[in-house]
Amino acid sequence: MSVQFLSGNEAVAHGVRLSRPRVVAAYPITPQTVVVERLAEMVEDGDLAAEFVHVESEHSALALVMGSAAMGVRTFTATSSQGLLYMAECLYYTAGGRWPIVMMNANRALALPWNIYGDQSDSLALISSGWIQSYAETAQEALDLVIQSYAIAEDLRVRTPVLVNLDGFVLTHTYEPVDVPEQEQVDAFLPSPDFPVGYPGTFNQENPQSLAITAGPGDYTVFKFKQHQDMVAAAGPIREVDERFIQHFGRGVAGLTEGYQLDDAELVIVTLGSIAGTVRTVVDELRTEGVKAGLLRLRYLRPFPTAEVLAGLFGPQRSAKVAAIGILEKDISFGHQGTVSLEVKAALYEAATQGALPPAINFVAGLGGQEIGLADIRRFFTALAEAAQGQQKPLVQFLGMEHAQ
Amino acid sequence: MSISIKTLPNPEHFVGHKACGGCGGSLIVRWVLKVLGEKTHVVIPAGCMSAVGFIYPQMALGVNAIISPFAATGAVLSGIAAVVRAKGLTDVPVVGFAGDGATADIGLQSLSGALDRREKIIYICYDNEAYMNTGIQKSGATPWGVRTTTSPRGFRPELDAPKKDLLRIAAAHGIPYAATASVGYANDLLKKIEKAGQVDGPSFLHIFAPCPTGWGCEADATVQLGKSVVDTGLWPLLEWESRQLTINRQPKKFAPLEEYLAGQGRYRNITEDEIAALEAVRDRNWRELRAWNIHSSVNPDFG
């Protein structure tokens, strides 16, 4: 293992190199480009024995690696924003076909207005596409998630593609020291990049297969039900992979969520991605001031970790006294609230039978690269404290638009 | 022994499908797979051939096959070809069967990418001149004057020759082999398939494929229409190989257009004046083809 000073994008490229995909196809879009530039260099330098295919669109990028996955090999592609939406059809398609593709998405705002900076509205728009979705907090976690994603996606119980999300620029372009494992370590962790003969959803030379088939109204439901069941159950293999990763590499997080100072927390911010680091800093500050603040970070949004979220907020025995919950996300589902807020609140309903639920405020912040500072997060916690004391608060608050709300 | 309808291998690789009687597209799939054999990997986009061949649990293809997203035939072919290359597999033909809409319209970008990358693929456009699977809507390959459900009185744009010239589009990519063919001239078609299978790089075949359901013709008219479209000069049989154009069949005198148009409901509204205009366009097309042919023979580098 060697420590290198890498950006999030470069960390992803190293994670991919170490995972030895046989085919990489990608179309450039800011802020994803560095990933594919590094991979192209790695292929040209002979550090990665993959076919690097220059495609003419994101739609073709994902369709192409689907064809390669059907041939029974490990694949990779990466995209962002408009590109992710352009390939949207292929996301549902590859998930329905159960190909274990891994894709990196640089979370970026969607036009209009045009904006190349980070927010999470791209991947959240496709939360129902059937892909497992993870969100990295750091470059280190991004590298680790790539390796873990192949282990998860290719698990016969899962056979579901994985989208690894990194906040555009804030994470993709920020440098930090990253432990880069040795190739032998990763080889010992992952199965062969050539799937075994007979792996479901792959062509077979002895016993030809028809793939990506048509199913009528009765059979269609059966396929979709199995897809849903396996996605729900994927939480198990995800935890197993996390634990195996920690044992194997000596670092990492076990679970689909990560809690910080939750044991006695009264004011909790639930969030995802790189902003969790800033929230953690504010939690530390508030703790020195006697405020019982906490953080619950969602590492995975699909499968949605309902039980983990409830255990994180209310304790394993549902005994914790959470007074107010904030859901901080870089997204708005127009006409309602942020997508993550909707997800978290759906999970909270499962806890409603335990008694009255605390107020929950959706903080919509960081849209189109808007900076979220320590002071902003302190204000979010203040709003939560006031809500906990019974003050009426807008349930959806846009950072920077307080005067208009 | 060169391939012909008499020497075509017996094994069937496309049986039990639900294509309509007289379907030109399904005939092409059947013939192509007989020529290319059991190791062929097939990509078929959303459309008639995928709709009739992959209905769970009845799979009609006896070779490895996959339905691609409508726009992505070229890309999925490329993904398969990339692994064939990576693994050093030999004798694995990678062939796509896409309709005219999937080729000339929604899939043109993906086809262009695959041809540009020189993927070792065989791309076959079976052209029935409209979106048949969705119910006979006009495509970028629908000829002038044809009735479709989205051109109910007959498609009459100001352009005199609206049908996209797929052979020239493919040839413009500088690929090693592109050809037109028709189900009415089986031996010519089969030889071209065989040749495409031997090309090191992409090959493109644009094949005339009558659709009795969409054209309002008899189910047993498919082969006859496939002959008369060539004999009338509306569908020249061409090969573009090593940057040189060959006209495979040069009728001394074109058969009257009425021979082809009669018996097709889709041309029911066409007038005599319009037929004369179509003949004039045909004659111009042939002058251009002959000029291309002579020019490319003299100076293949600038073909």
Side-chain angles (χ1 to χ4, degrees):
Chain A
M1 206 174 290
S2 66
V3 176
Q4 297 184 32
F5 198 55
L6 299 176
S7 68
N9 273 343
E10 290 171 343
V12 167
H14 280 285
V16 173
R17 169 181 61 79
L18 292 163
S19 302
R20 299 188 194 266
R22 291 284 225 146
V23 177
V24 175
Y27 188 81
I29 179 168
T30 303
Q32 151 265 35
T33 44
V34 174
V35 179
V36 290
E37 289 167 5
R38 291 295 168 277
L39 286 170
E41 285 171 11
M42 290 166 178
V43 171
E44 285 194 2
D45 292 347
D47 295 330
L48 170 59
E51 295 290 322
F52 186 97
V53 189
H54 301 91
V55 285
E56 60 288 343
S57 77
E58 288 90 354
H59 190 279
S60 284
L62 190 49
L64 192 147
V65 295
M66 179 184 80
S68 299
M71 287 292 280
V73 301
R74 188 170 294 156
T75 60
F76 178 76
T77 185
T79 189
S80 177
S81 180
Q82 312 295 127
L84 186 71
L85 265 64
Y86 191 47
M87 60 166 70
E89 171 197 17
C90 298
L91 266 83
Y92 283 79
Y93 206 98
T94 44
R98 308 293 298 269
W99 285 291
I101 296 163
V102 173
M103 172 159 65
M104 174 265 195
N105 180 54
N107 281 126
R108 168 185 146 178
L110 295 168
L112 283 172
W114 280 98
N115 180 302
I116 60 164
Y117 301 103
D119 77 27
Q120 295 154 337
S121 45
D122 52 2
S123 56
L124 291 174
L126 287 161
I127 195 166
S128 298
S129 64
W131 281 56
I132 291 171
Q133 285 201 357
S134 62
Y135 292 79
E137 180 183 343
T138 63
Q140 182 72 66
E141 188 177 35
L143 184 149
D144 295 351
L145 275 173
V146 169
I147 298 167
Q148 293 161 3
S149 294
Y150 284 110
I152 294 161
E154 294 168 12
D155 187 311
L156 278 170
R157 297 166 294 175
V158 180
R159 291 200 297 114
T160 296
V162 180
L163 187 70
V164 180
N165 292 281
L166 280 74
D167 282 305
F169 290 108
V170 176
L171 184 51
T172 58
H173 285 60
T174 306
Y175 281 76
E176 61 178 87
V178 176
D179 269 349
V180 180
E182 297 301 324
Q183 185 66 63
E184 298 73 36
Q185 285 179 287
V186 179
D187 287 348
F189 184 77
L190 287 177
S192 163
D194 296 318
F195 306 156
V197 173
Y199 187 89
T202 63
F203 294 132
N204 190 316
Q205 307 311 315
E206 304 305 319
N207 180 22
Q209 300 290 308
S210 286
L211 305 177
I213 50 129
T214 299
D219 294 323
Y220 185 85
T221 300
V222 177
F223 282 109
K224 291 292 122 178
F225 179 68
K226 282 175 183 286
Q227 191 182 338
H228 172 65
Q229 263 192 324
D230 290 353
M231 171 71 104
V232 170
I238 290 171
R239 285 189 200 98
E240 287 171 25
V241 167
D242 282 342
E243 280 157 18
R244 199 158 60 80
F245 190 91
I246 292 168
Q247 280 190 341
H248 196 81
F249 295 94
R251 63 160 182 276
V253 182
L256 286 75
T257 66
E258 183 185 35
Y260 185 67
Q261 298 281 22
L262 283 180
D263 287 348
D264 61 345
E266 293 172 353
L267 309 176
V268 177
I269 285 186
V270 181
T271 193
L272 68 171
S274 60
I275 195 64
T278 316
V279 176
R280 201 177 273 112
T281 302
V282 174
V283 167
D284 286 343
E285 288 176 8
L286 291 172
R287 286 276 168 173
T288 64
E289 298 163 19
V291 179
K292 289 184 172 172
L295 160 69
L296 178 65
R297 180 169 73 93
L298 302 168
R299 296 180 70 228
Y300 284 83
L301 282 191
R302 282 291 181 276
F304 192 81
T306 299
E308 276 192 41
V309 167
L310 295 182
L313 289 173
F314 303 112
Q317 310 303 323
R318 305 280 164 90
S319 54
K321 295 284 176 225
V322 178
I325 299 165
I327 301 107
L328 170 58
E329 62 185 298
K330 302 174 179 178
D331 171 66
I332 179 69
S333 177
F334 302 105
H336 202 180
Q337 49 195 280
T339 304
V340 181
S341 179
L342 294 170
E343 295 280 333
V344 171
K345 287 183 180 175
L348 288 176
Y349 189 86
E350 309 287 320
T353 52
Q354 312 280 326
L357 287 168
I361 300 175
N362 184 200
F363 299 109
V364 175
L367 295 184
Q370 181 191 42
E371 194 176 323
I372 309 171
L374 295 168
D376 299 318
I377 290 171
R378 284 189 78 99
R379 276 203 299 280
F380 298 156
F381 274 112
T382 303
L384 290 180
E386 290 168 357
Q389 287 156 13
Q391 282 190 34
Q392 291 295 310
K393 293 279 170 189
L395 293 180
V396 182
Q397 301 186 13
F398 277 61
L399 176 61
M401 299 303 293
E402 291 77 7
H403 62 285
Q405 291 178 134
Chain B
M1 185 167 56
S2 76
I3 192 97
S4 77
I5 202 77
K6 286 181 183 160
T7 62
L8 203 54
N10 279 329
E12 299 285 351
H13 306 290
F14 189 43
V15 288
H17 59 74
K18 298 185 176 178
C20 310
C23 170
S26 61
L27 185 59
I28 292 165
V29 175
R30 177 171 171 245
W31 281 351
V32 168
L33 292 179
K34 278 172 171 280
V35 175
L36 297 178
E38 62 186 16
K39 292 179 86 174
T40 307
H41 285 49
V42 170
V43 177
I44 301 180
C48 282
M49 288 308 105
S50 56
V52 305
F54 296 72
I55 304 167
Y56 182 80
Q58 287 173 278
M59 300 298 134
L61 280 135
V63 297
N64 283 309
I66 185 170
I67 304 180
S68 75
F70 203 3
T73 313
V76 176
L77 285 167
S78 301
I80 296 170
V83 179
V84 169
R85 195 161 64 236
K87 292 194 167 182
L89 303 178
T90 52
D91 305 327
V92 176
V94 181
V95 59
F97 296 98
D100 45 293
T103 303
D105 295 339
I106 196 169
L108 192 57
Q109 170 178 279
S110 172
L111 170 62
S112 175
L115 298 183
D116 185 44
R117 286 188 299 267
R118 301 292 185 270
E119 304 284 2
K120 190 166 166 28
I121 60 169
I122 302 164
Y123 189 107
I124 292 171
C125 172
Y126 65 95
D127 188 352
N128 49 33
E129 304 194 317
Y131 288 92
M132 296 315 187
N133 190 46
T134 44
I136 322 165
Q137 291 83 16
K138 190 207 89 69
S139 81
T142 298
W144 201 95
V146 160
R147 281 158 38 111
T148 68
T149 53
T150 52
S151 57
R153 293 184 177 182
F155 177 52
R156 290 177 169 82
E158 288 187 20
L159 292 167
D160 57 13
K163 190 177 164 74
K164 291 189 194 178
D165 191 337
L166 289 172
L167 183 83
R168 281 178 191 264
I169 291 171
H173 289 77
I175 60 173
Y177 187 69
T180 65
S182 168
V183 294
Y185 284 91
N187 288 341
D188 175 80
L189 166 55
L190 297 173
K191 284 192 185 78
K192 287 170 177 173
I193 296 164
E194 191 175 51
K195 203 181 264 189
Q198 291 158 358
V199 168
D200 186 19
S203 54
F204 177 83
L205 295 182
H206 186 197
I207 307 179
F208 184 78
C211 168
T213 305
W215 292 9
C217 62
E218 295 299 322
D220 60 3
T222 301
V223 170
Q224 186 49 45
L225 286 173
K227 284 188 197 302
S228 63
V229 76
V230 173
D231 299 342
T232 50
L234 290 177
W235 191 276
L237 298 181
L238 307 170
E239 274 180 307
W240 195 78
E241 194 177 7
S242 308
R243 309 192 74 84
Q244 192 171 329
L245 184 76
T246 304
I247 302 173
N248 302 109
R249 192 174 176 82
Q250 299 235 33
K252 284 203 177 67
K253 188 169 177 293
F254 294 128
L257 278 196
E258 287 84 350
E259 270 184 26
Y260 169 68
L261 303 177
Q264 292 191 55
R266 63 178 183 151
Y267 280 111
R268 195 163 59 218
N269 290 345
I270 208 129
T271 66
E272 279 183 27
D273 287 349
E274 288 171 342
I275 291 174
L278 290 180
E279 281 174 341
V281 171
R282 173 200 61 193
D283 293 345
R284 185 192 65 197
N285 287 346
W286 272 88
R287 282 195 296 276
E288 288 173 2
L289 272 179
R290 287 180 175 124
W292 185 16
N293 171 233
I294 291 164
H295 184 67
S296 65
S297 304
V298 173
N299 193 347
D301 285 346
F302 295 93

